[in-house]
Amino acid sequence: MGWLLTAVLSLPLTGSDIEVRMWFSKESYCTFAIEKFTEKPFRERRADGTVREGEITSATCRELGPDEQALVPEHLRWKTKSLFGR
């Protein structure tokens, strides 16, 4: 089964928060990602060489449902086929 990490990222000068969604094949990978992403601020390197730092304001992991297979990257969907029975 796949796991979905949804993280809300606050970056200065964007005007609003950014939601990041990532798929992981195991729950432990998803929770590990939350730990790593909250240890250090996110950094965005812009084309002009400047760097903006942001922070995670919230993050959750949850199991994907059978109707959410499209959230898994296409080249990795073969891993979910037997789990979803398709």
Side-chain angles (χ1 to χ4, degrees):
M1 191 59 60
W3 289 82
L4 182 69
L5 166 64
T6 302
V8 178
L9 175 64
S10 176
L11 275 173
L13 307 173
T14 60
S16 63
D17 291 343
I18 298 170
E19 184 177 284
V20 179
R21 300 173 87 194
M22 289 177 258
W23 174 80
F24 292 90
S25 58
K26 295 183 180 181
E27 181 182 15
S28 60
Y29 297 163
C30 192
T31 54
F32 179 75
I34 289 176
E35 292 172 14
K36 288 298 165 192
F37 293 148
T38 53
E39 270 181 19
K40 291 184 174 182
F42 267 84
R43 289 190 174 92
E44 176 194 26
R45 185 168 305 278
R46 304 178 86 188
D48 64 4
T50 59
V51 176
R52 294 189 306 175
E53 288 191 353
E55 63 180 30
I56 297 287
T57 57
S58 66
T60 58
C61 287
R62 69 169 176 82
E63 196 169 11
L64 289 176
D67 60 331
E68 295 179 305
Q69 193 172 11
L71 296 174
V72 177
E74 190 172 347
H75 68 285
L76 296 172
R77 288 186 192 153
W78 65 272
K79 291 184 175 189
T80 65
K81 297 222 185 270
S82 62
L83 297 169
F84 290 130
R86 293 182 189 161

